[in-house]
Amino acid sequence: LYSIKAALALNCAIQNLVKFDRKNYYYPDLPKNFQISQYDMPLSYNGSLEITSNGARKRVRIKRVHLEEDAGKLTHPAKVSYSLVDFNRAGMPLLEIVTEPDISSPQEAYDYLTALKAILQYLKISDCDMEKGSLRCDANASMRKAGEKKLGVKVEVKNMNSFRWVREALQYEVDRQVSLLEAKENIIQETRLWDAEKMVTISMRSKEEAHDYRY
């Protein structure tokens, strides 16, 4: 019910038939080696959300709203050679909302998330308490030259629990990727983590493609 409410609030089309898939990968927060998710037949698709950013209205397209199971929570303490994993939320239902690449600045990402949070709270779909992990954000960043349509290599920054950190992490990625491109260096498609103390993103793993997950 909550998933349908969210999809309708985001102007999505609801599927008449949905199915769940196994997304296969090994990572310490998912020790059973697969995640129950939705791939080619998600709950809903083709939605949109109108936002106001820098005094202008903008329509952000919603690619899909789908259900999957949550994984555990990894933490990476500073100055030690190990990570910690908490499995308490593993297997819990998780609603994922995916946009099209319509957001063109870190501030627009911040404003989009603020508008989305207001909708989810108003409809009592979630308390959106980011400190408790009720709302998290993965953000992709890719560069393109002015006037070009094709996006460059995509880098994902995972599991940020603050809108401010999303904005800061994306700005760091913009600066990092522009510097690499200006130096004629290649950008690697990868997943990175945000270090809020050092205010930098850190490489975590190379980014998998759909075929790598063997849905």
Side-chain angles (χ1 to χ4, degrees):
L1 175 61
Y2 290 145
S3 304
I4 297 292
K5 286 173 70 174
L8 292 174
L10 296 172
N11 304 299
C12 291
I14 309 298
Q15 294 266 30
N16 290 322
L17 177 66
V18 301
K19 72 178 176 73
F20 287 87
D21 303 274
R22 282 190 177 190
K23 182 179 182 181
N24 297 276
Y25 67 96
Y26 176 77
Y27 200 61
D29 61 5
L30 197 73
K32 66 181 181 179
N33 290 3
F34 70 87
Q35 177 188 34
I36 299 169
S37 186
Q38 293 184 311
Y39 179 49
D40 57 339
M41 296 176 66
L43 172 78
S44 62
Y45 58 97
N46 286 355
S48 65
L49 175 59
E50 293 276 341
I51 67 169
T52 300
S53 185
N54 294 320
R57 296 287 291 173
K58 182 168 186 174
R59 177 176 175 267
V60 177
R61 292 172 296 160
I62 306 295
K63 183 175 183 178
R64 55 195 281 154
V65 176
H66 69 264
L67 280 167
E68 61 184 23
E69 66 173 326
D70 207 347
K73 179 183 179 182
L74 279 173
T75 55
H76 309 280
K79 299 179 181 179
V80 297
S81 59
Y82 57 83
S83 296
L84 303 173
V85 59
D86 180 348
F87 290 115
N88 280 299
R89 72 187 190 196
M92 294 296 291
L94 175 72
L95 186 69
E96 185 165 63
I97 300 168
V98 184
T99 73
E100 297 286 0
D102 295 339
I103 296 171
S104 53
S105 72
Q107 183 60 44
E108 280 188 9
Y110 181 94
D111 295 330
Y112 162 78
L113 290 169
T114 301
L116 179 63
K117 178 183 177 182
I119 290 172
L120 298 177
Q121 287 180 316
Y122 180 80
L123 294 175
K124 295 182 171 57
I125 294 167
S126 172
D127 62 15
C128 297
D129 188 331
M130 301 190 78
E131 290 186 0
K132 295 179 180 178
S134 301
L135 179 65
R136 306 191 299 279
C137 178
D138 300 341
N140 294 325
S142 56
M143 302 297 108
R144 65 182 173 193
K145 290 184 179 180
E148 290 189 359
K149 293 185 178 181
K150 185 178 180 180
L151 288 166
V153 175
K154 178 174 66 177
V155 173
E156 182 180 29
V157 186
K158 291 284 287 186
N159 282 339
M160 290 169 286
N161 62 356
S162 157
F163 292 173
R164 177 192 167 196
W165 294 144
V166 172
R167 182 170 57 191
E168 295 290 345
L170 287 175
Q171 188 59 59
Y172 178 87
E173 273 302 299
V174 169
D175 296 339
R176 185 184 73 87
Q177 292 184 32
V178 167
S179 295
L180 287 172
L181 292 171
E182 289 179 343
K184 307 297 184 186
E185 296 182 30
N186 293 328
I187 295 171
I188 300 171
Q189 183 170 341
E190 62 182 343
T191 299
R192 298 176 71 89
L193 294 174
W194 171 245
D195 186 325
E197 291 186 4
K198 296 179 180 178
M199 300 289 283
V200 298
T201 62
I202 301 168
S203 181
M204 182 171 72
R205 63 176 182 261
S206 61
K207 179 62 179 175
E208 298 89 348
E209 299 290 353
H211 63 267
D212 295 320
Y213 289 126
R214 304 182 311 284
Y215 281 99

